[in-house]
């Protein structure tokens, strides 16, 4: 992170020095203000793309490898994993029940069991923890 900030500072300093060398006052009189705004916007957009790619790292490759050890350790059933995946996809209890051909009460029971096993209180926390543990993609 420090390296990225230092590199950005050096690039900005070089740009400022370059403008000074080009006698920016002369250029200022010949170009309209919109031209400068566009140049600054392009510069910051390029800097944002560079920083975003640099900080985000490479895109993940390969298939998802489920952490079966964590699933066995927490004693999560196959059906609970199915429901957890559908919860992660944003499905409501009624939608999940319809997709899996079970009652909404059954889904609610499975979700409640997942909360206990994962030691969480909310759906978002359950999904986050399951992803951190590698149980769902």
């Amino acid at each position: 992170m420090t390296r990225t900030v230092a590199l950005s500072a050096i690039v900005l300093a070089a740009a400022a020095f370059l403008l000074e060398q080009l006698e920016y006052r002369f250029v200022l009189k010949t170009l309209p203000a919109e031209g400068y705004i566009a140049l600054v916007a392009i510069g910051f957009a390029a800097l944002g793309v560079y920083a975003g790619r640099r900080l985000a790292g490479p895109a993940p490759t390969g298939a998802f490898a489920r952490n079966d050890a964590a699933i066995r350790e927490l004693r999560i059933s196959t059906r609970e994993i199915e429901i957890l995946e559908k919860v992660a996809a944003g499905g409501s209890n009624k939608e999940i029940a319809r997709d899996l051909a079970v009652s909404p009460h059954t889904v609610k029971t499975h979700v409640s069991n997942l909360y206990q096993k994962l030691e969480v209180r909310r759906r978002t926390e359950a999904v986050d923890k399951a992803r951190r543990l590698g149980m769902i993609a």
Side-chain angles (χ1 to χ4, degrees):
M1 181 74 174
T2 306
R3 185 176 171 190
T4 304
V5 171
L7 181 62
S8 298
I10 290 170
V11 169
L12 288 174
F17 180 75
L18 182 65
L19 281 177
E20 183 65 34
Q21 293 300 317
L22 292 175
E23 296 182 24
Y24 66 93
R25 290 184 186 147
F26 173 73
V27 176
L28 183 63
K29 291 179 183 176
T30 59
L31 288 178
E34 291 83 9
Y36 289 106
I37 292 171
L39 287 175
V40 169
I42 290 169
F44 277 109
L47 183 61
V49 168
Y50 169 76
R53 286 188 177 178
R54 181 80 174 173
L55 294 175
T61 58
F64 171 72
R66 176 168 281 148
N67 185 355
D68 291 325
I71 293 171
R72 279 192 307 274
E73 183 179 325
L74 294 172
R75 297 179 187 188
I76 296 176
S77 69
T78 306
R79 185 60 112 179
E80 288 171 338
I81 288 294
E82 283 181 281
I83 289 175
L84 186 58
E85 288 172 342
K86 298 213 179 264
V87 167
S92 68
N93 287 353
K94 287 182 181 180
E95 292 169 338
I96 296 169
R98 191 175 334 112
D99 289 346
L100 299 177
V102 296
S103 74
H105 182 70
T106 303
V107 173
K108 188 175 180 179
T109 302
H110 283 303
V111 170
S112 177
N113 291 340
L114 282 167
Y115 289 172
Q116 290 176 347
K117 291 176 181 180
L118 293 172
E119 298 176 350
V120 296
R121 292 183 177 177
R122 294 182 187 87
R123 293 167 89 91
T124 54
E125 291 175 3
V127 170
D128 182 53
K129 188 164 186 179
R131 283 189 175 141
R132 280 189 283 122
L133 293 173
M135 296 187 319
I136 59 173

